């Protein structure tokens, strides 16, 4: 059994939105935000996965955030305003470990 | 053998850092494995991640000379790629996109440049539509373009679940899916895709397996949706070992085999990748090749300096000590090198400067191409500072020119500026063993003297202007940036001064005489054609392709390629231009630098210019359009604007 | 047969002004070279531009007169291409710390085995006495129309921060002591700098011979136990505070002597030989690049990462 399937179940059919895509522990992929990285379990998951450790994300803390809608890093004040505009705000973004190989000198 | 000519053009787009590079490299490998010739270039923003970048490929059973627009296939795994290139796809072509992106609107795409958003918005509003991916798909379908929407998220999920792998390289898998689906539609058999992915990631099994699975799942999906059409026949170039390399890499290779022992550089786009490739190969196991010289390892000192001034200064020092030395840079760095170039002329020091031109002025567009440094190169350095300036038209020329430049630098004890550009730097081509044959070139270090010489005169007055050069460490002497006597001792004496100026003048005449006119300029095509295109550098292949195309349409045009810009081949150029009714210069600068040079040296006016100013590569369609426009209207200047 | 100082003197007319401190420095260098018995053909003196950089004409060697501020990069290229040569740089404070400051800093990071001699008179001589980078704030020499409104750099602290492994200060007219410092700097394996204080009698009427001689003293005279040699990483922690304190001492008392000699850092040449064993045996200047004029290499045999079997 794969680890992802053991830990998560897909909750595509639920409409409560309690899935990775709104979880504090989850960082969406910097380019393809339908997939991301769970900092709790240390694995990549899809946005509609769910587990019992789900924790609703927020912009309450004084820290930096990531807006997946605008693809930009935000300070808290900015994060609040993006949150109000219903942007997809996360506590960070997932950058692949080998991304360097895909980047050009510029 | 097939009787058919294959000419496939593909764009793979995505965010910088989003897997486009791997997909592009895999595509180049797929078609090379299939037996075709390829050319492929990277176009990207000056950005680490997020901004739009794309890989543009041309595949042909002949030698594809230049990139072509429109393309037969667009792989657009994100909305920005689809919307950016919506007008780049030919009728009958195939566009692969992500069905998850259909609702995305150009105006909300964060990294997209404002002006492009506005253009896209205008284009769609004229159709009464919003600038969304779904509208773009509709538009493409109306134009007779086939579209294939991939449910990327679901396919990626399937890949993940089937392989049980943690998807560490998501971006790559996404791009490989898009590419594989397109390749299936284009008739490429799956085993070729597997082979290419293996060649790309072969040494890393953890990355390899999920990527092959991703490719298979995408191909299965495409087959289900699209069925299987005709298989693309194998090309004529099968059954041998071939090379795929960029211009940066080719120049690095030429420096290494051509005897470079020292390169100092300061990071600057688009030259750094050349230095990196040398660095990667700075300690080479050469086994038996150098046995006669008693070496089994070749070492090259490569050093990143504090700035470009130090980069050229160190290379000059190394050259004085006897090393075969070079530096590599682009316009802004070259500006900093000017004072040392002047010193290299005065003190007669061999040095090769690879000048990878990019779009200026100033920082301009660091990651885009241009030909704006021609006059800067020729007139670099204060004082009377003639030097050799050579421009390469393509990868093969760049290879031989690099070795030639190193020979000339040492033989004539002079700076040699090798003009290249961003387009060549980041363009890959397929090559055969015979394309790069160093045995055709000899190593020539000129009048070198090793060991003590009685009464050694570093700047001995000679008839050909070239003095015997002893590396430092054998004789007491002075290498001097100040005017000097024959020993190198500083001298302001009027007789000494005049003699040294005239010695350097004679040396430049010797250089001019030693390099045959036919090596300085090449006339391609029918000598009797009434229109002559004159150009230099990386425009070569696009022009050659355009000349053929125009010929097929009954427009007779020939092409005078200036290879050595200094010393200028004035006799040959005069002769050729004297016969032409219309002379058209093609250059990627706004001031008509080549036209200026031709007029200055030959007195022949260049009455027409085709200029590429948008910092994108020159396409053959640009040249065809420009020449026709000039012939039809007699207009003096045509600005050609293709490219995204 | 050992060489004498005269073996390093060229026949050139030394064009410095009477009373110039450069003469003292030149004599110290002659003496040090003679004591080290260095073959002039194997000695490379690299100069920038300025009065002091003209030493390349007065010292017998296989010398290079470069452009303003750029002696260090040229010297670095020479040394890395042929580490067997003895390479020294002569230049003024304006040349090495003003226009050439970037290179001065970079050399410290590299620790190439080169000795830098700063002829430090705090003014630009050849261009008529403008303020040099070591001229203190508010000093008005007679050559300046107004007092200097720019502060001065401390060459020793700059060298320390940059990572030079031999840092000393000398005085131009103490030829014997200076000879010792020059000799130690040349002998030192790594980047060495000697900041040599000197009056410019023509343009600097503030920092005169009398001014200097009232202030200077030798570290080892004041403290016979003075030991600036770093033999282990622990030594740095123990000795650095005292070294920095002495480097910071300015004004009424100006210490001279060796402030730091760090024996723990490998030279750039050693680093290169570590990365490319055999580099020292066949450095860039000496490595064969052909076999009887032919290139015995083919890219297809070397750059296998770029090959594809079709």
């Amino acid at each position: 059994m794969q680890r992802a399937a053991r830990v998560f179940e897909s909750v595509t059919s639920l409409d409560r939105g309690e899935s990775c895509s709104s979880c504090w522990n989850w960082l969406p992929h910097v380019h393809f935000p339908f997939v991301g990285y769970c900092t709790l379990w240390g694995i990549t998951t899809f946005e509609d996965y769910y587990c019992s450790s789900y924790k609703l994300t927020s912009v309450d803390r004084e820290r930096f955030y990531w807006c997946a809608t605008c693809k930009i890093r935000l300070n808290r004040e900015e994060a609040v305003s993006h949150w109000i505009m219903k942007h997809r705000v996360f506590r960070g973004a997932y950058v692949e470990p080998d991304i360097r190989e895909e980047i050009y000198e510029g | 053998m097939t009787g058919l000519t294959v000419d496939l053009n593909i764009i793979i787009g995505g965010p910088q850092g989003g897997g486009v590079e791997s997909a592009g490299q895999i595509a180049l490998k797929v078609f090379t494995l299939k037996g075709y010739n390829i050319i492929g270039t990277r176009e990207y923003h000056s950005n680490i991640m997020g901004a739009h970048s794309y890989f543009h490929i041309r595949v042909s059973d002949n030698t594809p000379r230049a990139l072509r627009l429109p393309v037969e296939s667009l792989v657009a795994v994100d909305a920005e790629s689809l919307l950016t290139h919506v007008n780049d796809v030919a009728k009958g072509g195939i566009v692969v996109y992500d069905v998850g992106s259909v609702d995305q609107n150009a105006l909300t795409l964060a990294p997209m440049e404002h002006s492009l958003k506005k253009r896209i918005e205008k284009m769609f509003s004229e159709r009464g539509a919003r600038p969304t991916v779904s509208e773009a798909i509709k538009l493409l379908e109306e134009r007779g373009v086939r579209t294939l929407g991939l449910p990327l998220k679901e396919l990626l999920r399937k890949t993940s679940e089937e392989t049980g792998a943690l998807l560490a390289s998501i971006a790559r898998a996404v791009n490989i899916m898009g590419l594989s689906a397109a390749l299936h539609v284009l008739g490429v058999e799956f085993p070729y895709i597997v082979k290419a992915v293996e060649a790309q990631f072969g040494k890393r099994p953890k990355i390899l397996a999920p990527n092959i699975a991703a490719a298979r799942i995408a191909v299965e999906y495409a087959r289900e949706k699209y069925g299987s059409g005709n298989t693309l026949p194998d090309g004529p170039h099968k059954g041998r070992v071939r090379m795929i390399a960029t211009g940066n890499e080719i120049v690095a290779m030429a420096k290494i085999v051509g005897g470079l022992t020292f390169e100092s550089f300061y990071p600057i786009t688009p030259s750094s990748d050349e230095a990196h490739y040398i660095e990667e190969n700075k300690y080479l196991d050469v086994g038996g090749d150098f046995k006669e010289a008693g070496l089994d390892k070749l070492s090259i000192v490569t050093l990143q300096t504090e700035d470009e001034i130090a980069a050229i200064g160190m290379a000059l020092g190394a050259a004085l000590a006897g090393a075969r030395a070079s530096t590599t840079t682009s316009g802004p760095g070259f500006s900093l090198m000017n004072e040392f170039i002047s010193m290299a002329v005065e003190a007669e020091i061999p040095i090769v400067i690879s000048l990878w031109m990019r779009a200026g002025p100033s920082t301009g567009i660091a990651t885009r191409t241009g030909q704006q440094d021609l006059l800067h190169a020729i007139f670099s350095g204060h004082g009377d500072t003639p030097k050799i300036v050579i421009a390469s038209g393509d990868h093969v020329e760049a290879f031989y020119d690099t070795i030639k430049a190193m020979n000339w630098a040492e033989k004539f004890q002079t700076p040699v500026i090798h003009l290249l550009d961003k387009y060549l730097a980041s363009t890959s081509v397929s090559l055969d063993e015979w394309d790069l044959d160093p045995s055709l070139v000899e190593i020539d270090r000129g009048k070198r003297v090793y060991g003590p010489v009685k009464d050694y005169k570093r700047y001995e007055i000679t008839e050909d202007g070239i003095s015997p050069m002893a590396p430092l460490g054998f004789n007491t002497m002075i290498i001097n940036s100040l005017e000097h006597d024959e020993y190198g001792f500083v001298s302001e004496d009027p007789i000494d001064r005049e003699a040294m100026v005239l010695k350097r003048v004679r040396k430049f005449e010797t250089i001019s005489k030693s390099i045959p006119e036919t090596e300085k300029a090449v006339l391609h095509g029918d000598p009797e054609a009434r229109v002559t295109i004159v150009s230099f550098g990386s425009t070569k292949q696009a022009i050659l392709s355009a000349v053929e195309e125009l010929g097929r349409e009954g427009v007779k045009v020939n092409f005078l390629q200036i290879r050595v810009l200094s010393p200028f081949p004035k006799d040959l150029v005069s002769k050729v231009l004297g016969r032409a009714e219309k002379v058209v210069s093609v250059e990627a600068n706004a001031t008509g630098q080549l036209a200026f040079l031709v007029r200055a040296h030959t007195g022949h006016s260049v009455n027409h210019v085709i200029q590429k100013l948008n910092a994108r590569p020159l396409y053959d369609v640009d040249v065809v359009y420009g020449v026709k426009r000039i012939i039809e209207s007699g207009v003096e200047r045509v600005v050609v604007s293709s490219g995204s | 047969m050992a060489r004498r100082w005269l073996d390093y003197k060229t026949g050139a007319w030394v064009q410095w002004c009477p009373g110039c401190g450069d003469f003292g420095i030149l004599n110290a260098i002659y003496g040090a070279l003679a004591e080290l018995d260095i073959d002039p053909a194997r000695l490379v003196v690299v100069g920038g531009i300025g009065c002091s950089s003209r030493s390349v004409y007065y010292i017998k060697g296989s010398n290079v007169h470069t452009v303003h501020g750029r002696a260090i990069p040229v010297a670095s290229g020479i040394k890395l291409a042929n580490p067997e040569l003895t390479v020294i740089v002569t230049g003024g404070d304006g040349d090495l710390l003003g226009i050439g400051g970037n290179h001065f800093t970079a050399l410290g990071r590299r620790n190439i085995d080169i000795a830098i001699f700063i002829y430090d008179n705090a003014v630009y001589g050849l261009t008529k006495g403008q303020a040099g980078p070591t001229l203190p704030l508010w000093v008005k020499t007679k050559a300046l129309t107004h007092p200097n409104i720019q502060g001065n750099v401390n060459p020793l602290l700059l060298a320390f921060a940059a990572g030079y492994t031999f840092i000393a200060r000398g005085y131009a007219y103490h030829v014997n002591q200076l000879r010792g410092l020059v000799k130690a700097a040349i002998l030192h394996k790594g980047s060495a700098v000697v900041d040599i204080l000197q009056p410019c009698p023509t343009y600097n009427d503030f920092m005169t011979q009398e001014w200097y001689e009232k202030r200077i003293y030798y570290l080892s005279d004041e403290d016979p136990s003075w030991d600036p040699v770093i033999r282990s990483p622990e030594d740095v922690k123990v000795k650095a505070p005292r070294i920095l304190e002495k480097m910071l001492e300015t004004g009424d008392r100006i210490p001279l002597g060796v402030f730091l000699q760090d024996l723990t850092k490998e030279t750039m040449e050693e680093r290169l030989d570590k990365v490319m064993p055999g580099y020292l045996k066949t450095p860039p200047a000496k490595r064969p690049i052909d076999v009887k004029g032919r290139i015995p290499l083919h890219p297809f045999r070397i750059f296998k990462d770029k090959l594809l079997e079709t």
Side-chain angles (χ1 to χ4, degrees):
Chain A
M1 274 294 274
Q2 48 179 307
R3 196 172 168 202
R6 202 170 62 235
V7 178
F8 299 95
E9 55 179 288
S10 175
V11 289
T12 350
S13 59
L14 298 182
D15 56 5
R16 284 186 303 145
E18 284 192 4
S19 62
C20 292
S21 67
S22 62
C23 179
W24 173 255
N25 296 313
W26 197 70
L27 311 176
H29 188 274
V30 60
H31 299 312
F32 304 103
F34 52 81
V35 56
Y37 182 77
C38 173
T39 56
L40 196 66
W41 298 100
I43 57 173
T44 48
T45 71
F46 289 84
E47 58 183 351
D48 50 7
Y49 279 24
Y50 170 83
C51 83
S52 53
S53 302
Y54 172 83
K55 185 182 160 199
L56 181 67
T57 192
S58 75
V59 289
D60 296 343
R61 293 179 219 186
E62 190 57 48
R63 65 186 322 281
F64 283 105
Y65 293 85
W66 170 255
C67 176
T69 311
C70 302
K71 299 196 175 195
I72 200 164
R73 196 168 163 87
L74 311 168
N75 63 29
R76 182 167 173 262
E77 197 183 329
E78 293 169 309
V80 169
S81 67
H82 284 243
W83 181 270
I84 291 165
M85 290 189 286
K86 294 202 166 15
H87 285 192
R88 299 183 65 198
V89 179
F90 297 88
R91 59 179 230 194
Y94 174 56
V95 176
E96 294 171 35
D98 291 333
I99 193 169
R100 189 190 58 77
E101 296 166 20
E102 301 289 338
I103 296 171
Y104 305 121
E105 60 161 321
Chain B
M1 259 173 290
T2 60
L4 286 167
T5 299
V6 168
D7 188 356
L8 273 177
N9 300 274
I10 303 168
I11 286 177
I12 304 164
Q16 165 103 296
V20 171
E21 172 62 14
S22 287
Q25 292 299 334
I26 288 165
L28 296 178
K29 290 186 165 91
V30 161
F31 289 105
T32 307
L33 289 166
K34 277 285 284 177
Y36 291 98
N37 281 323
I38 55 92
I39 181 168
T41 201
R42 308 159 175 158
E43 281 291 321
Y44 56 98
H45 285 80
S46 181
N47 159 259
I48 294 178
M49 60 184 81
H52 175 64
S53 65
Y54 69 95
F55 216 101
H56 187 168
I57 297 166
R58 186 170 185 182
V59 178
S60 168
D61 41 10
N62 297 314
T63 299
R65 294 187 144 144
L67 299 172
R68 171 154 284 187
L69 284 172
V71 297
E72 284 73 35
S73 180
L74 169 64
V75 179
V77 291
D78 69 337
E80 184 166 355
S81 298
L82 187 80
L83 290 161
T84 301
H85 297 286
V86 70
N87 294 325
D88 289 342
V89 190
K91 190 176 170 185
I94 172 83
V95 170
V96 175
Y97 67 98
D98 176 15
V99 293
S101 72
V102 290
D103 295 331
Q104 291 202 44
N105 186 315
L107 300 179
T108 64
L109 296 175
M112 188 183 266
E113 294 192 90
H114 181 72
S115 306
L116 179 56
K117 281 181 184 168
K118 290 285 151 201
R119 284 202 303 278
I120 293 172
E121 185 185 27
K122 183 161 177 272
M123 187 177 94
F124 281 97
S125 77
E126 281 164 7
R127 293 167 48 83
R130 288 165 59 239
T132 60
V133 168
S134 57
E135 288 295 336
I137 296 297
K138 216 184 279 173
L139 174 67
L140 285 162
E141 284 170 353
E142 277 172 30
R143 288 175 179 171
V145 174
R146 298 171 293 163
T147 60
L148 171 55
L150 295 182
L152 277 177
K153 185 165 104 180
E154 294 318 312
L155 297 181
L156 197 63
R157 190 200 301 271
K158 203 171 163 197
T159 308
S160 168
E161 286 168 0
E162 270 189 29
T163 59
L166 304 176
L167 286 177
S169 58
I170 294 149
R172 277 192 191 122
V174 165
N175 274 279
I176 286 168
M177 281 183 175
L179 173 67
S180 302
L183 290 173
H184 172 75
V185 177
L186 293 171
V188 174
E189 307 95 308
F190 184 63
Y192 281 103
I193 302 173
V194 173
K195 236 178 134 182
V197 176
E198 279 172 356
Q200 184 73 11
F201 302 122
K203 287 174 193 144
R204 299 149 76 184
K206 273 190 191 155
I207 298 181
L208 183 61
N211 280 303
I212 288 180
R216 177 175 47 76
I217 285 163
V219 167
E220 280 165 7
Y221 183 85
R223 188 182 294 132
E224 205 176 288
K225 275 269 171 183
Y226 243 88
S228 298
N230 293 332
T231 301
L232 182 74
D234 283 352
H237 309 286
K238 269 187 77 86
R240 59 179 190 258
V241 176
R242 311 198 73 205
M243 177 181 274
I244 301 173
T246 64
N248 277 148
E249 288 158 353
I250 291 288
V251 168
M253 289 177 193
K255 285 187 177 178
I256 293 166
V257 300
L260 182 85
T261 60
F262 191 99
E263 177 154 293
S264 34
F265 69 100
Y266 184 80
I268 184 168
T269 303
S271 73
S272 307
D273 280 342
E274 179 217 304
H276 296 166
Y277 198 66
I278 295 175
E279 177 106 49
E280 232 177 272
N281 293 285
K282 69 181 175 189
Y283 194 53
L284 269 184
D285 205 328
V286 285
D289 291 343
F290 257 88
K291 207 181 256 160
E292 283 182 69
L295 285 178
D296 56 356
K297 296 270 192 191
L298 288 191
S299 55
I300 299 167
V301 170
T302 56
L303 197 66
Q304 181 188 321
T305 57
E306 57 275 26
D307 57 24
E308 283 91 350
I309 300 174
I312 185 172
M314 274 205 203
L316 289 173
L320 286 171
R324 185 163 264 213
S326 78
T327 184
T328 185
T329 192
S330 187
F334 189 71
S335 288
L336 290 188
M337 293 183 179
N338 266 254
E339 189 185 18
F340 259 134
I341 290 170
S342 189
M343 170 170 167
V345 173
E346 170 74 39
E348 306 197 39
I349 310 172
I351 176 81
V352 170
I353 302 147
S354 306
L355 174 50
W356 300 90
M357 295 182 285
R358 67 188 211 190
S362 192
T363 310
I365 313 184
T367 59
R368 311 281 179 176
T369 201
Q371 293 185 305
Q372 298 166 299
D373 294 333
L374 172 61
L375 295 181
H376 185 196
I378 291 172
F379 297 120
S380 55
H382 58 282
D384 280 331
T385 49
K387 78 247 346 139
I388 299 175
V389 178
I390 180 169
S392 299
D394 54 34
H395 293 65
V396 173
E397 282 183 7
F399 179 78
Y400 293 107
D401 288 352
T402 302
I403 303 175
K404 232 191 289 190
M406 293 192 291
N407 278 339
W408 286 344
E410 290 185 344
K411 190 173 169 190
F412 304 118
Q413 302 165 24
T414 179
V416 179
I417 296 161
H418 186 188
L419 280 182
L420 300 138
D421 58 29
K422 150 63 182 60
Y423 170 68
L424 284 176
S426 57
T427 298
S428 294
V429 293
S430 49
L431 295 158
D432 285 302
E433 200 169 346
W434 54 82
D435 289 325
L436 313 173
D437 185 358
S439 73
L440 299 177
V441 202
E442 287 199 359
I443 299 280
D444 185 352
R445 310 197 78 174
K447 294 187 193 174
R448 290 238 161 178
V449 284
Y450 299 95
V453 178
K454 205 173 149 36
D455 196 34
Y456 176 65
K457 296 175 181 165
R458 170 64 192 94
Y459 301 103
E460 186 181 338
I461 301 285
T462 56
E463 210 163 302
D464 63 3
I466 301 166
S467 320
M469 180 175 172
L472 298 171
F474 292 112
N475 301 282
T476 57
M477 60 173 162
I478 295 165
I479 302 295
N480 214 334
S481 84
L482 280 67
E483 196 58 278
H484 42 261
D485 63 16
E486 288 187 284
Y487 295 94
F489 196 82
V490 61
S491 174
E492 297 182 15
D493 177 72
I495 305 291
D496 280 349
R497 160 68 179 175
E498 198 173 280
M500 277 300 150
V501 171
L502 291 174
K503 167 193 171 348
R504 294 191 290 269
V505 167
R506 283 200 307 282
K507 181 167 92 171
F508 203 63
E509 285 165 1
T510 301
I511 294 172
S512 192
K513 271 183 271 175
S514 308
I515 306 171
E517 289 275 297
T518 49
E519 211 173 309
K520 289 185 202 147
V522 182
L523 181 64
H524 303 273
D526 181 0
E528 303 304 320
R530 43 187 280 271
V531 179
T532 294
I533 290 175
V534 55
S535 191
F536 73 103
S538 75
T539 56
K540 174 189 173 186
Q541 295 292 355
I543 294 172
L544 285 177
S545 176
V547 166
E548 276 176 13
E549 174 84 34
L550 287 163
R552 281 194 290 274
E553 295 180 27
V555 184
K556 272 198 180 167
V557 179
N558 59 25
F559 165 36
L560 181 61
Q561 182 199 2
I562 318 269
R563 300 270 289 110
V564 177
L565 285 307
S566 172
F568 194 83
K570 52 177 179 283
D571 295 340
L572 183 64
V573 174
S574 276
K575 205 170 94 189
V576 173
L577 299 193
R579 283 199 301 254
E581 275 176 40
K582 261 190 175 32
V583 179
V584 181
S585 89
V586 176
E587 41 192 316
N589 61 68
T591 45
Q593 298 188 14
L594 182 65
F596 169 88
L597 207 60
V598 167
R599 197 178 309 127
H601 280 291
T602 68
H604 282 284
S605 286
V606 176
N607 298 321
H608 308 278
V609 290
I610 296 173
Q611 292 175 338
K612 184 94 185 202
L613 306 175
N614 66 0
R616 300 304 188 269
L618 183 77
Y619 300 88
D620 46 10
V621 289
D622 288 328
V623 183
V624 170
Y625 166 79
V627 169
K628 282 187 184 167
R629 193 106 164 80
I630 285 166
I631 290 174
E632 283 157 14
S633 69
V635 65
E636 274 178 28
R637 185 168 90 135
V638 180
V639 176
V640 288
S641 312
S642 51
S644 298
Chain C
M1 188 185 65
R3 292 178 176 85
R4 297 186 56 233
W5 75 270
L6 271 170
D7 293 322
Y8 298 92
K9 188 173 157 55
T10 65
W13 170 66
V14 181
Q15 65 164 38
W16 296 323
C17 309
C20 177
D22 287 358
F23 286 103
I25 302 171
L26 186 61
N27 274 278
I29 293 176
Y30 287 149
L33 292 171
E35 284 179 18
L36 294 169
D37 196 25
I38 290 168
D39 176 358
R42 311 288 287 159
L43 167 71
V44 182
V45 184
V46 186
I49 293 296
C51 294
S52 52
S53 295
R54 292 209 163 212
S55 302
V56 296
Y57 304 127
Y58 313 140
I59 304 167
K60 232 180 236 171
S62 207
N63 298 348
V64 187
H65 200 173
T66 69
V67 291
H68 196 24
R70 315 300 170 201
I72 287 176
V74 174
S76 302
I78 293 165
K79 184 69 184 181
L80 293 181
N82 188 355
E84 290 169 13
L85 303 175
T86 300
V87 181
I88 68 175
V89 167
T90 59
D93 51 293
D95 186 274
L96 290 165
L97 304 173
I99 185 171
N102 194 12
H103 312 309
F104 181 81
T105 313
L107 181 60
R109 293 196 291 132
R110 299 191 178 114
N111 201 29
I112 302 173
D113 186 12
I114 294 175
I116 310 288
F117 301 115
I118 307 175
Y119 295 39
D120 183 356
N121 60 8
V123 292
Y124 286 82
L126 273 180
T127 48
K128 291 195 73 166
Q130 295 87 346
T134 53
L135 188 71
L137 181 66
W138 297 123
V139 167
K140 186 197 167 305
T141 65
K142 65 183 170 195
L144 295 174
T145 56
H146 293 86
N148 183 22
I149 55 166
Q150 307 194 60
N152 56 329
V153 68
N154 181 324
L156 307 185
L157 284 172
L158 183 59
F160 184 87
Y164 279 81
T165 50
F166 180 98
I167 303 171
R169 186 192 280 140
Y171 176 59
Y173 284 136
H174 289 180
V175 177
N176 286 338
Q177 293 94 324
L178 183 57
R179 185 175 62 234
L181 293 176
V182 168
K183 198 173 139 184
I186 294 174
L187 278 177
H188 174 73
K189 290 266 160 264
S191 295
V193 59
V194 185
D195 179 34
I196 307 166
L197 306 176
Q198 59 156 137
C200 174
T202 306
Y203 292 116
N204 192 339
D205 59 330
F206 178 75
M207 296 150 95
T208 59
Q209 187 166 354
E210 197 194 353
W211 186 91
Y212 277 120
E213 289 176 8
K214 264 202 310 220
R215 287 166 172 79
I216 54 176
Y217 74 95
Y218 285 89
L219 290 162
S220 50
D221 287 350
E222 187 197 58
D223 174 7
S225 69
W226 176 255
D227 177 17
V229 182
I230 307 289
R231 295 179 184 83
S232 69
E234 292 72 47
D235 269 3
V236 184
K237 283 182 212 142
V238 178
K239 293 181 180 175
R242 182 94 179 113
I243 287 171
L244 287 167
E245 185 193 326
K246 283 290 148 192
M247 285 181 173
L248 277 163
E249 190 174 344
T250 49
D252 289 346
R253 281 174 60 75
I254 303 174
L256 304 177
V258 178
F259 286 72
L260 171 89
Q261 183 169 20
D262 187 343
L263 304 177
T264 65
K265 288 189 196 158
E266 58 200 346
T267 63
M268 173 67 91
E269 298 89 305
E270 287 162 342
R271 295 174 207 167
L272 285 170
D273 200 58
K274 206 183 256 184
V275 181
M276 304 186 292
Y279 154 79
L280 285 171
K281 210 174 114 225
T282 49
K286 296 168 80 181
R287 162 156 95 64
I289 63 169
D290 58 352
V291 175
K292 297 187 186 99
R294 312 296 299 181
I295 299 172
L297 305 167
H298 192 289
F300 273 58
R301 283 205 306 279
I302 303 173
F303 309 106
K304 298 209 167 96
D305 56 323
K306 300 294 164 195
L307 298 181
L308 200 58
E309 204 162 329
T310 66

